[in-house]
């Protein structure tokens, strides 16, 4: 029997571990990419997802709107990543070293441009831009994850993108 | 040099191509294997022990009494509304007025609380050097005696005062949680705690608190309305469902279908000598199931003064069915039935794909189009009534077209009007 997301969330809220795991595993790639973006390596990314799973199990009964499960889960995941980074005393997002190695044959110089410029932006701007452009998140979801109003997210992205484009020498 | 967009696109593609480690699923199973829910366990099973421990540990302690009445709590004009706003204007809250200053100079000020039988509302402000810093704090958590939770609510930043004002709601704590710890965590991980005393005896008193003992049957399901607990702050109606053969609609999905019931609560009250009838705004609803018993709960705003009558209108049922079907389509597709939805036609116009659907007037659905393996962008949607208002024709325009096109249907929902009402409460003149 295939259960709807809403029913799975309802089951998870009542303490059904399998339902909760199914919800997470169904979107494991999304969770992994998000965690990797923050944590910067596979081990920490998997630790963060494990931590998220335990927190969800304990707190999901408080979730009022079943439709918001994934946004709720991602917010918890980002907090778990931040906690891991805090413990590493490294609160910046992943610096993409892993990725850049693989770009040697595909224009490393130009890639360095944008991501070197990114480092000159505030952490908040970097975070919003990465969530928007690399994970395709909408403004509302970014706002909930970053715990700021949608307007603030838009202005962070707008100002950050403007700085990048100015630095690249393009029109904006 | 590649443009910014192209560089991001390349990076995004690489992120998407990353494989999820195979061991992740095992790790998650292991993480949950020996876990037990932390909350509610003690409340449900250890209440007797809790009472004894409470008396032993805290019974003779005498904390400062911080609650007092009669003053409006200031600084929340942009975030407060509804019943809470009215009560605050009347100075009905418990004023707390305690603060915590973080190492970076940010300050949390816990101004006050409102309590009734249904919920606990706390009001606090964060003063920080910037709006962004103020929003860096997670929503507050409250902990009492074998009770604790993270609040839900909203915060609004006031540029004039440079403060972020939050109003958060929590479930009403158990009667032993007189001393509550308010916790707020900064982005740096510093946890600020404020202890305060909640004066249960001064909670906002109920206007209507009674058994209902009314049932209504609709669409094969019997809804038993058991209790109503209403105060000027909030209204909660609870009951259970006798679903018979449709039980799985509430516990796990019969044919992957779940049911929602939509109700409307109206109050009649006297104002300036006139009887006014108004709908009470809904603030939430939900069902929960345990051991094949299904309970429901509806939450509304609080009641007005001089209440004369409360009426519950059982408006309609909504059945949401998950179908998860993929249908291959091309420009020759005509009149294909997918559950309650008919794909009437598929046309290519100006390079875009226009799909026309027909359903009866009670049916809505969620769908998407895949073109050559990629999700197509929805450009526009329009709808109109046909067949003398008994059916709806919808047109969805997707960007592009292709040789391999699949329509993906996620769910179909159907509404049935009931419109039965009964009187929950009538004042005795």
């Amino acid at each position: 029997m295939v259960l709807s997301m809403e029913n799975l969330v309802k089951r998870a809220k009542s303490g059904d571990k399998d339902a909760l795991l199914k919800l997470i595993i169904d979107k494991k790639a999304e969770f992994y990419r998000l965690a990797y973006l923050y944590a910067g390596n596979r081990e920490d990314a998997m630790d963060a997802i494990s931590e998220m799973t335990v927190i969800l199990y304990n707190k999901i009964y408080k979730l009022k709107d079943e439709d918001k499960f994934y946004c709720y889960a991602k917010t918890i995941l980002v907090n778990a990543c931040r906690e891991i980074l805090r413990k590493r005393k490294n609160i910046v997002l992943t610096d993409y070293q892993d990725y850049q190695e693989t770009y040697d044959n595909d224009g490393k110089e130009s890639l360095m441009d944008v991501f070197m410029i990114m480092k000159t932006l505030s952490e908040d701007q970097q975070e919003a831009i990465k969530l928007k452009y690399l994970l395709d998140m909408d403004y509302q979801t970014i706002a909930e994850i970053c715990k700021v109003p949608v307007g603030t997210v838009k202005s962070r992205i707008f100002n950050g993108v403007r700085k990048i484009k100015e630095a690249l020498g393009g029109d904006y | 040099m590649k443009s910014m967009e192209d560089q991001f696109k390349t990076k995004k593609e690489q992120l998407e191509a990353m494989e999820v480690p195979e061991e992740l699923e095992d790790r998650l199973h292991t993480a949950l294997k020996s876990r037990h829910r932390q909350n509610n366990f003690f409340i449900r099973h250890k209440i007797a022990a809790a009472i004894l421990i409470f008396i032993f540990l805290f019974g003779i302690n005498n904390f400062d009494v911080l609650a007092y009445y009669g003053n409006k709590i200031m600084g929340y004009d942009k975030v407060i509304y509804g019943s809470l706003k009215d009560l605050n204007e009347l100075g009905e809250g418990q004023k707390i007025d305690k603060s915590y200053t973080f190492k970076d100079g940010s300050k949390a000020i816990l101004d006050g609380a409102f309590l009734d039988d249904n919920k606990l509302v706390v009001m606090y402000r964060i003063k920080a050097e910037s709006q962004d810093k103020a929003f860096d704090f997670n929503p507050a958590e409250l902990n009492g005696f074998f009770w604790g939770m993270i609040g839900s609510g909203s915060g609004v930043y006031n540029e004039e005062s440079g403060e972020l004002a939050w109003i958060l709601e929590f479930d009403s704590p158990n009667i032993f949680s007189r001393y509550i710890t308010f916790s707020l965590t900064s982005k740096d991980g510093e946890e600020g705690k404020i202890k305060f005393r909640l004066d249960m005896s001064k909670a906002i008193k109920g206007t209507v608190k009674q058994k209902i003992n009314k049932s209504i049957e609709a669409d094969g399901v019997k809804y038993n309305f058991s209790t109503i607990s209403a105060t000027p702050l909030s209204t909660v109606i609870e009951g259970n469902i006798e679903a018979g053969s449709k039980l799985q609609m509430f516990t796990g999905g019969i044919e992957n279908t779940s049911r929602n019931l939509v109700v409307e609560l109206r109050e009649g009250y006297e104002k300036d000598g006139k009887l006014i009838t108004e709908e009470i705004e809904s603030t939430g609803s939900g069902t929960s199931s345990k051991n094949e018993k299904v309970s429901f709960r509806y939450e509304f705003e609080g009641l007005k003064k001089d209440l004369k009558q409360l009426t519950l209108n059982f408006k309609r049922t909504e059945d949401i069915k998950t179908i998860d079907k993929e249908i291959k389509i091309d420009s020759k597709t005509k009149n294909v039935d997918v559950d309650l939805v008919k794909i009437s036609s598929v046309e290519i116009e100006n390079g875009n794909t226009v799909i026309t659907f027909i359903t009866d007037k009670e049916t809505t659905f969620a769908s998407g189009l895949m073109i050559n393996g990629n999700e197509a962008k929805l450009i526009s949607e329009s709808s109109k009534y046909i067949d003398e208002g008994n059916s709806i024709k919808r047109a969805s325009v997707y960007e592009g077209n292709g040789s391999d096109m699949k329509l993906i249907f996620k769910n179909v929902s159907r509404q049935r009007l009931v419109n039965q009402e009964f009187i929950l409460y009538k004042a005795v003149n």
Side-chain angles (χ1 to χ4, degrees):
Chain A
M1 183 172 67
V2 180
L3 292 178
S4 68
M5 188 194 102
E6 192 184 354
N7 282 325
L8 282 169
V9 176
K10 283 179 181 170
R11 284 189 169 198
K13 283 170 82 171
S14 65
D16 185 333
K17 291 176 183 174
D18 290 337
L20 178 60
L21 287 170
K22 174 153 177 47
L23 282 163
I24 294 167
I25 288 165
D26 279 352
K27 301 258 182 182
K28 64 182 179 184
E30 276 184 35
F31 286 124
Y32 184 68
R33 285 198 290 266
L34 178 61
Y36 198 102
L37 190 65
Y38 276 79
N41 66 71
R42 70 196 293 277
E43 279 305 311
D44 284 347
M46 285 197 290
D47 281 347
I49 298 170
S50 297
E51 181 65 17
M52 173 198 78
T53 304
V54 172
I55 293 172
L56 275 173
Y57 179 66
N58 284 322
K59 309 263 185 188
I60 191 174
Y61 70 95
K62 296 172 183 170
L63 179 68
K64 288 187 175 173
D65 186 349
E66 277 85 13
D67 289 340
K68 295 222 165 150
F69 170 79
Y70 283 112
C71 187
Y72 180 63
K74 285 174 184 173
T75 305
I76 291 171
L77 179 58
V78 168
N79 284 337
C81 291
R82 284 182 176 142
E83 184 61 21
I84 287 170
L85 291 170
R86 192 181 67 78
K87 284 177 183 165
R88 285 199 335 221
K89 298 190 175 175
N90 177 10
I91 55 171
V92 296
L93 292 176
T94 172
D95 63 8
Y96 294 94
Q97 285 171 353
D98 313 33
Y99 304 143
Q100 282 165 5
E101 287 170 12
T102 64
Y103 273 85
D104 285 347
N105 300 324
D106 186 22
K108 183 176 178 181
E109 188 183 342
S110 62
L111 277 165
M112 287 298 286
D113 280 338
V114 161
F115 291 99
M116 287 302 282
I117 295 164
M118 286 273 280
K119 288 181 179 178
T120 66
L121 306 181
S122 73
E123 285 170 23
D124 292 335
Q125 286 173 333
Q126 291 182 45
E127 180 179 36
I129 288 171
K130 286 170 185 174
L131 294 176
K132 170 84 181 149
Y133 286 94
L134 300 185
L135 296 183
D136 262 349
M137 283 189 181
D138 58 51
Y139 291 120
Q140 185 61 43
T141 306
I142 299 172
E144 293 198 33
I145 284 176
C146 299
K147 297 188 177 65
V148 295
V150 171
T152 305
V153 171
K154 286 180 179 173
S155 83
R156 284 176 184 175
I157 292 172
F158 177 84
N159 291 324
V161 167
R162 191 192 57 193
K163 281 182 192 169
I164 293 171
K165 292 203 169 183
E166 280 173 354
L168 282 172
D171 294 326
Y172 192 71
Chain B
M1 185 185 294
K2 284 184 177 177
S3 70
M4 184 198 78
E5 286 81 3
D6 285 343
Q7 292 192 45
F8 277 138
K9 192 180 167 204
T10 310
K11 193 72 77 182
K12 180 170 167 264
E13 284 167 356
Q14 195 176 28
L15 251 184
E16 284 171 354
M18 277 171 47
E19 286 191 8
V20 180
E22 282 182 12
E23 65 265 41
L24 178 64
E25 289 188 27
D26 286 341
R27 275 208 195 188
L28 300 184
H29 280 282
T30 307
L32 281 190
K33 198 172 180 181
S34 58
R35 293 273 166 183
H36 298 287
R37 274 253 167 94
Q38 292 168 349
N39 293 288
N40 296 332
F41 177 78
F42 288 104
I43 296 170
R44 286 179 188 155
H45 302 289
K46 304 286 184 185
I47 197 76
I51 294 168
L52 290 174
I53 295 166
F54 177 78
I55 292 169
F56 180 70
L57 289 178
F58 300 104
I60 56 172
N61 275 350
N62 188 13
F63 282 66
D64 290 340
V65 176
L66 300 163
Y68 56 97
Y69 285 84
N71 296 313
K72 176 184 171 183
I73 299 168
M74 308 295 285
Y76 294 85
D77 291 344
K78 293 187 176 179
V79 66
I80 197 166
Y81 60 90
S83 302
L84 189 65
K85 185 177 182 181
D86 297 341
L87 289 168
N88 192 39
E89 292 292 332
L90 295 169
E92 297 273 348
Q94 298 189 32
K95 209 160 185 178
I96 297 168
D97 199 20
K98 294 188 89 177
S99 65
Y100 178 91
T101 304
F102 290 84
K103 285 174 188 163
D104 69 354
S106 304
K107 191 175 180 182
I109 305 142
L110 180 58
D111 285 309
F114 288 79
L115 174 70
D116 72 0
D117 286 342
N118 304 320
K119 66 182 177 184
L120 170 63
V121 181
V122 299
M123 301 163 77
Y124 65 96
R125 288 170 290 146
I126 298 172
K127 278 187 178 183
E129 64 182 40
S130 68
Q131 177 177 350
D132 288 349
K133 285 232 168 192
F135 273 107
D136 279 343
F137 290 86
N138 292 321
E141 183 170 347
L142 295 186
N143 285 287
F145 189 69
F146 290 99
W147 173 87
M149 65 188 296
I150 297 169
S152 60
S154 53
V156 172
Y157 188 75
N158 184 337
E159 289 187 358
E160 288 167 18
S161 63
E163 292 173 348
L164 172 61
W166 275 100
I167 294 181
L168 290 190
E169 290 188 8
F170 302 79
D171 292 345
S172 200
N174 60 55
I175 58 169
F176 307 108
S177 293
R178 286 194 300 162
Y179 300 101
I180 305 279
T181 303
F182 167 96
S183 310
L184 204 58
T185 306
S186 73
K187 195 177 180 182
D188 301 331
E190 183 184 353
E191 192 176 23
K193 290 187 174 182
I194 298 172
K195 281 188 179 173
F196 66 98
R197 181 176 184 264
L198 200 60
D199 195 335
M200 298 274 186
S201 69
K202 292 178 180 174
I204 293 163
K205 301 289 186 297
T207 309
V208 179
K209 190 174 176 66
Q210 63 186 44
K211 289 184 177 175
I212 299 175
N213 292 334
K214 298 252 184 191
S215 297
I216 199 160
E217 203 157 345
D219 217 5
V221 177
K222 191 175 180 186
Y223 300 91
N224 302 312
F225 290 80
S226 311
T227 59
I228 176 169
S229 170
T231 76
L233 180 62
S234 66
T235 303
V236 172
I237 292 173
E238 291 181 306
N240 59 71
I241 292 167
E242 290 178 39
S245 61
K246 296 189 175 178
L247 178 70
Q248 283 187 308
M249 283 181 128
F250 303 94
T251 58
I254 181 166
E255 292 179 337
N256 309 322
T257 303
S258 63
R259 173 168 297 176
N260 294 328
L261 47 146
V262 179
V263 303
E264 176 189 84
L265 183 64
R266 289 199 306 274
E267 63 182 335
Y269 61 97
E270 202 170 284
K271 189 177 180 186
D272 302 329
K274 289 180 184 170
L275 184 67
I276 297 170
T277 302
E278 286 176 352
E279 183 182 346
I280 305 177
E281 192 182 333
S282 169
T283 54
S285 67
T287 59
S288 60
S289 59
K290 191 175 181 186
N291 300 332
E292 301 203 334
K293 288 183 179 173
V294 183
S295 305
F296 61 79
R297 177 183 170 102
Y298 292 98
E299 297 174 10
F300 302 88
E301 287 277 14
L303 302 179
K304 295 277 195 321
K305 273 177 69 180
D306 296 322
L307 180 75
K308 296 297 176 192
Q309 186 167 300
L310 268 179
T311 309
L312 187 67
N313 180 8
F314 188 10
K315 293 184 76 172
R316 63 179 183 271
T317 59
E318 289 175 348
D319 290 353
I320 301 168
K321 183 177 182 182
T322 304
I323 51 177
D324 277 331
K325 277 190 178 170
E326 288 186 7
I327 308 292
K328 279 198 159 204
I329 58 167
D330 55 33
S331 57
K332 292 173 192 160
T333 303
K334 289 249 185 270
N335 298 329
V336 176
D337 289 319
V338 183
D339 208 275
L340 298 170
V341 182
K342 183 189 288 293
I343 305 167
S344 174
S345 65
V346 176
E347 290 163 342
I348 309 300
E349 288 180 6
N350 302 323
N352 295 323
T353 307
V354 182
I355 306 169
T356 309
F357 304 94
I358 295 176
T359 64
D360 67 33
K361 64 180 179 182
E362 295 174 334
T363 301
T364 57
F365 61 97
S367 65
L369 178 66
M370 301 292 284
I371 299 178
N372 298 335
N374 297 312
E375 189 171 354
K377 184 180 173 188
L378 181 65
I379 299 173
S380 68
E381 276 184 309
S382 59
S383 61
K384 64 177 180 182
Y385 282 107
I386 57 169
D387 189 19
E388 296 178 339
N390 290 317
S391 303
I392 298 175
K393 189 174 184 178
R394 294 180 172 83
S396 300
V397 183
Y398 289 93
E399 190 173 81
N401 66 84
S403 54
D404 174 21
M405 297 201 290
K406 283 179 199 162
L407 257 178
I408 296 175
F409 288 87
K410 289 290 178 190
N411 61 54
V412 174
S413 67
R414 187 165 205 183
Q415 301 184 352
R416 292 185 185 85
L417 294 178
V418 180
N419 275 333
Q420 288 187 44
E421 64 179 39
F422 54 76
I423 295 169
L424 289 180
Y425 168 83
K426 198 163 191 175
V428 181
N429 290 322

